[in-house]
Amino acid sequence: MEIKNSLTQLDTYRATLEKTEKEQNARAAKDAKGAPAKGDRVSLSPEAKLRTEAYSAAMNAPEMRRQKVDAIKAQVESGQYQADSKKTAEKLLQEEPGLFGA
């Protein structure tokens, strides 16, 4: 099993989000002064904003988490990691009670 770092893909996404927000704020400031709005408008979905917030939270997570991830990654690579599917299912039901219509 290969574990890839997909968070780097969100870096570009985050930069685009920040740039778009700055442009929208600047445009709103001009509109407030009575200047006509020009150009196309871009709006980002709540999901896009949530992904950016999740990325920021992951990047600001304590180093202890990185150590845990590295330890599990080593176990997976060596074939020693065994997932407990029953425990995983229990956690899913605890954290997402509506997941299975319960």
Side-chain angles (χ1 to χ4, degrees), residues 57-68:
M59 296 311 294
N60 293 325
E63 185 61 29
M64 185 67 147
R65 185 76 173 154
R66 170 56 46 201
Q67 292 171 353
K68 184 174 183 178

Side-chain angles (χ1 to χ4, degrees), residues 66-79:
R66 170 56 46 201
Q67 292 171 353
K68 184 174 183 178
V69 169
D70 290 341
I72 293 173
K73 184 177 179 180
Q75 288 178 352
V76 169
E77 289 173 352
S78 70

Side-chain angles (χ1 to χ4, degrees), residues 31-43:
D31 289 346
K33 294 178 184 176
K38 296 180 181 179
D40 297 333
R41 299 196 90 185
V42 175
S43 65

Side-chain angles (χ1 to χ4, degrees), residues 44-66:
L44 299 172
S45 69
E47 181 183 346
K49 292 179 181 180
L50 181 62
R51 286 181 187 220
T52 301
E53 290 171 10
Y55 173 76
S56 295
M59 296 311 294
N60 293 325
E63 185 61 29
M64 185 67 147
R65 185 76 173 154
R66 170 56 46 201

